[in-house]
Amino acid sequence: MKNAPSNNQQTALRGPATVSRRAAKISDTRRLEPSRREGGLATGNRPGIGSLLRILLATATVFSVAAGSGHAADQSILNVSYDPTRELYTEFNAAFAEHWKEKTGRSIQIDQSHGGSGKQARAILDGIDADVATLALAYDIDELASRGGLLPADWQSRLPHNSSPYTSTIVFLVRKGNPKGIKDWGDLVKEGVSVITPNPKTSGGARWNFLAAWAWALREYGGDESKARDFVARLYKNVPVLDSGARGSTITFAERGIGDVFISWENEAYLADKEKPGRFEIVTPPFSILTEPPVAVVDKVAGRRGTKEAATAYLEYLYSPEGQDIIGRNFYRPVEESAKAKFAPFFPQLETTTVDQTFGGWKNAQQKFFADGGVFDQITAPPRD
């Protein structure tokens, strides 16, 4: 297994809006050489994965949506998010900007930054002016509170559903016809099966993938930790490359053609299937993990910039009927009852566990599995001579 190219060798999208000066300070954008490009930028309101290979970003993807064309916005906020939420927030930001204009009479520009969740959290700690953080897992926002003092420790109590306005789960994306016969987690360790998953040291989605595999193994082997460890170690022996984020792994699998199966966020798998119809199949395993990506206002930044009212309203609007509808349309599972009922026929039913139920919460899971010298480092370390 080898680490994938860093984010300056990963691809990402930028919508039709232009990058603001504030956003430009965060990310240096470079284009692929002409010989390696597959065309120009996507156009329209919903850029797709097919256009992702057309832009290469040095660090994280950053782009903007503003209400009103051709005029400077009255205010701007920056949403620092994890890898696969680009399409979701491109659509949501436009809706919120219109809502905010109607409600307050003021225009607002919303900048987006995307990358692996762990890397994004470290970027905020290093000084990026994130008014809101919409990351892949609670631990990454906890770090903003405990290490950076950027928001209160009880931040999850400020919004409904522990500040998670959408959920997802972990599924398998396979090639058309499912040539390797992937049906459940046990199939991922078979000889000759190449598995794509990101690096859990930088990617929140990868940590969910790792824990889902471990939880399945615990269940399969009657709670035997040593057998669970052996199973996950064998799984990672089948991983040829570790991308730094979930979207990078999508590109490795869907665009570069590497791997037989991609362990994926459910929403990312559906998006890939939509953008490349007829090329893939989605396998929902009978058992997986409930992923609960959280959102939070970064109080210290929003307070200093005078954006706390807008930032709070922005996150609250995710729970509105329109916000929940946008969430469902982008293949995330809504949390409000009416939206859950509306989209229930679309999403397969499966048995899930949670991080709290199986691992005692994210703090314990992070320390045991993903801290330096933890289980992940141990099982992926090169053999000693």
Side-chain angles (χ1 to χ4, degrees), residues 364-378:
N364 290 337
Q366 178 71 25
Q367 185 62 35
K368 177 177 179 178
F369 296 107
F370 310 120
D372 289 343
V375 171
F376 174 76
D377 285 346
Q378 296 166 24

Side-chain angles (χ1 to χ4, degrees), residues 23 60 77 114 173 221-222 238 249 288 298 305 331 333 359:
I77 61 174
H114 297 271
L173 189 67
Y221 301 120
N238 283 351
S249 286
S288 193
V298 183
R305 297 190 65 248
F331 311 115
R333 297 187 180 219
F359 302 100

Side-chain angles (χ1 to χ4, degrees), residues 8 55 60 77 83-84 101 106 110 113 120-121 123 127 129 135 200-201 220 227 253 280 297 315 320-321 335 354 371:
N8 66 326
I55 302 176
I77 61 174
D83 233 1
K101 181 73 172 178
R106 302 194 301 271
I110 304 153
S113 170
Q120 293 290 80
D129 278 345
L135 298 179
K201 304 293 279 191
E220 182 74 6
K227 290 183 177 180
F253 183 79
F280 309 114
V297 173
L315 296 184
S320 71
V335 294
T354 68

Side-chain angles (χ1 to χ4, degrees), residues 77-81 89 124 129-138 140-145 150-160 162-166 292-302 307-308 310-316 318-319:
I77 61 174
L78 173 62
N79 174 6
V80 173
S81 194
Y89 282 111
I124 296 172
D129 278 345
D131 302 280
V132 299
T134 60
L135 298 179
L137 45 93
D140 288 336
I141 298 182
D142 282 337
E143 286 285 275
L144 305 183
L150 299 177
L151 68 165
D154 65 348
W155 60 270
Q156 276 190 287
S157 67
R158 301 195 295 190
L159 289 168
N162 287 324
S163 292
S164 293
Y166 41 83
E292 301 169 287
V295 301
V297 173
V298 183
D299 292 55
K300 185 168 284 189
V301 174
T307 60
K308 193 167 186 179
T312 300
Y314 175 77
L315 296 184
E316 289 175 344
L318 286 164
Y319 295 87

Side-chain angles (χ1 to χ4, degrees), residues 268-288:
E268 188 78 345
Y270 275 108
L271 180 60
D273 186 54
K274 176 183 176 181
E275 296 295 337
K276 298 288 185 181
R279 289 181 51 181
F280 309 114
E281 295 178 13
I282 298 168
V283 176
T284 300
F287 177 84
S288 193

Side-chain angles (χ1 to χ4, degrees), residues 154-234:
D154 65 348
W155 60 270
Q156 276 190 287
S157 67
R158 301 195 295 190
L159 289 168
H161 305 285
N162 287 324
S163 292
S164 293
Y166 41 83
T167 65
S168 189
T169 190
I170 302 302
V171 302
F172 310 138
L173 189 67
V174 300
R175 305 203 180 276
K176 186 68 175 178
N178 195 3
K180 293 299 177 80
I182 305 297
K183 297 179 181 178
D184 207 348
W185 292 93
D187 297 322
L188 304 186
V189 299
K190 291 180 178 178
E191 185 176 355
V193 173
S194 178
V195 180
I196 299 301
T197 184
N199 189 341
K201 304 293 279 191
T202 54
S203 165
R207 280 173 275 178
W208 286 115
N209 294 353
F210 183 105
L211 294 183
W214 192 282
W216 177 87
L218 283 178
R219 186 172 178 267
E220 182 74 6
Y221 301 120
D224 190 317
E225 285 271 336
S226 64
K227 290 183 177 180
R229 178 188 175 110
D230 176 69
F231 170 78
V232 175
R234 287 188 288 138

Side-chain angles (χ1 to χ4, degrees), residues 161 165 319-321 324 333-345:
H161 305 285
Y319 295 87
S320 71
Q324 290 285 290
R333 297 187 180 219
V335 294
E336 296 299 320
E337 290 304 319
S338 59
K340 283 173 69 174
K342 177 178 179 179
F343 288 95

